[in-house]
Amino acid sequence: GENVEQHPSTLSVQEGDSAVIKCTYSDSASNYFPWYKQELGKRPQLIIDIRSNVGEKKDQRIAVTLNKTAKHFSLHITETQPEDSAVYFCATYSGGGADGLTFGKGTHLIIQP
Amino acid sequence: NAGVTQTPKFQVLKTGQSMTLQCAQDMNHEYMSWYRQDPGMGLRLIHYSVGAGITDQGEVPNGYNVSRSTTEDFPLRLLSAAPSQTSVYFCASSRIGTGGTGELFFGEGSRLTVL
């Protein structure tokens, strides 16, 4: 089955700096790559996603890039703000096997004032 | 719309007891699923359903049962609770029939402790 590796597990950045979280996956059939944000004690919520026919997607301060050849994708957050502090999960969908997302183990992003 | 509603929010069980986690959605979503979240493990798929009357196993199905008699409800049953099932459980639904290509809407989670 699919294996998703996410790095780093913890990331601390100064407010206003950029943050980058990277994920690699094993199944070359994966074609959908969402990112979810989970604030402490809350439910995960989708913040951005990308499909395999697109290399990059932006939404205000967040962007996702995809390299299908290397089988990795990254989340980029610019001009970080205190409300960006949360755990971020990458995920993939391949359509083979179980019909659901395979999640990475998460990155705890800490924004230092 | 209430979205995805899970009950109970907290539950403590003894080893060997059984219980049902309830999940209901009012968005007329075809796809519903259950994930468990453990520290440092991300979210792992337990069971899912692509429509009423259809269920299938995910990555970690052992010890759990599901049914989907209506579009709205997707209960998760623990048959004989074990300490390894201590976790936070999330129900999630999606508008389209396959769970991986549309936004998943999560419930607030149910924290289960098995002693």
Side-chain angles (χ1 to χ4, degrees):
Chain A
E2 172 75 290
N3 183 46
V4 179
E5 299 283 343
Q6 183 172 347
H7 298 281
S9 57
T10 303
L11 178 61
S12 181
V13 301
Q14 290 293 123
E15 182 178 347
D17 288 349
S18 296
V20 180
I21 304 169
K22 298 181 180 179
C23 287
T24 60
Y25 60 96
S26 60
D27 190 344
S28 57
S30 292
N31 56 22
Y32 176 64
F33 308 89
W35 286 88
Y36 283 79
K37 176 184 180 182
Q38 186 179 29
E39 296 177 356
L40 186 62
K42 300 291 182 65
R43 72 191 83 190
Q45 292 187 297
L46 178 71
I47 55 171
I48 196 167
D49 58 9
I50 193 169
R51 299 184 188 276
S52 59
N53 58 346
V54 176
E56 183 176 4
K57 182 177 179 180
K58 290 183 180 179
D59 183 3
Q60 298 183 349
R61 293 187 299 109
I62 61 173
V64 56
T65 58
L66 171 65
N67 184 328
K68 286 216 71 179
T69 302
K71 289 192 279 188
H72 68 72
F73 58 111
S74 299
L75 177 71
H76 303 254
I77 306 174
T78 59
E79 300 173 8
T80 53
Q81 300 171 3
E83 55 264 36
D84 295 329
S85 292
V87 178
Y88 292 80
F89 293 97
C90 64
T92 67
Y93 178 79
S94 65
D99 190 353
L101 297 176
T102 301
F103 284 86
K105 294 183 178 180
T107 296
H108 185 194
L109 177 62
I110 302 165
I111 309 300
Q112 302 279 5
Chain B
N1 288 349
V4 180
T5 303
Q6 289 182 233
T7 56
K9 288 185 171 51
F10 301 94
Q11 183 72 50
V12 178
L13 288 179
K14 294 181 180 178
T15 297
Q17 288 185 317
S18 62
M19 76 158 297
T20 299
L21 298 177
Q22 302 291 346
C23 176
Q25 52 90 10
D26 61 359
M27 297 175 283
N28 201 32
H29 284 176
E30 290 293 327
Y31 179 91
M32 296 186 74
S33 57
W34 280 100
Y35 286 84
R36 61 177 288 172
Q37 183 175 32
D38 302 295
M41 294 294 294
L43 295 115
R44 292 181 291 170
L45 181 65
I46 305 171
H47 283 285
Y48 64 95
S49 168
V50 298
I54 306 169
T55 64
D56 210 338
Q57 296 181 351
E59 179 186 355
V60 287
N62 292 344
Y64 307 95
N65 270 356
V66 291
S67 60
R68 184 93 180 271
S69 56
T70 67
T71 299
E72 293 78 19
D73 300 299
F74 190 46
L76 178 72
R77 298 182 185 86
L78 281 70
L79 309 174
S80 177
S84 61
Q85 293 179 304
T86 293
S87 188
V88 179
Y89 292 85
F90 285 98
C91 179
S93 71
S94 178
R95 182 179 57 84
I96 59 176
T98 52
T101 57
E103 180 176 1
L104 277 179
F105 292 86
F106 285 86
E108 290 185 319
S110 298
R111 182 175 295 275
L112 175 67
T113 301
V114 182
L115 302 175

